[in-house]
Amino acid sequence: MAHQPAFDSLRILAIASQAIGFILIFVLGTTLESPRPWQGVTLAIMISVALGVAIVRRYRSKRLQKERDERRARLLDDDE
């Protein structure tokens, strides 16, 4: 079973960016007369951060899998 760290910085970044983005969209909608362009920019930034987090998470996962596979291969080579 995989051990997950108690503090996941990527998860915190994703949650914080989404929360800040939604709050900003709401604030823009209530304070500006024509908030649509700024809300669109905010949404685009939120999506960009989410995609960035997903790419980094995928990269880390692949790197860990590669390290596990190399370790397993070394152990099998040592056994022979």
Side-chain angles (χ1 to χ4, degrees):
M1 181 170 228
H3 173 71
Q4 291 194 355
F7 180 79
D8 186 358
S9 59
L10 286 178
R11 181 170 294 193
I12 290 172
L13 175 64
I15 292 169
S17 69
Q18 297 298 303
I20 291 168
F22 284 125
I23 291 169
L24 188 57
I25 286 173
F26 177 75
V27 169
L28 289 170
T30 57
T31 58
L32 296 179
E33 194 163 314
S34 60
R36 294 282 185 213
W38 294 110
Q39 288 175 328
V41 168
T42 303
L43 183 60
I45 292 170
M46 289 169 58
I47 291 171
S48 298
V49 170
L51 287 173
V53 167
I55 289 169
V56 170
R57 187 175 296 280
R58 178 83 173 195
Y59 170 78
R60 286 183 182 177
S61 173
K62 292 281 188 180
R63 188 186 70 213
L64 289 173
Q65 181 64 41
K66 184 179 177 182
E67 289 172 1
R68 279 191 296 257
D69 291 345
E70 289 172 353
R71 195 176 320 120
R72 190 173 297 130
R74 271 187 270 128
L75 286 172
L76 288 176
D77 286 345
D78 290 344
D79 287 343
E80 291 178 359

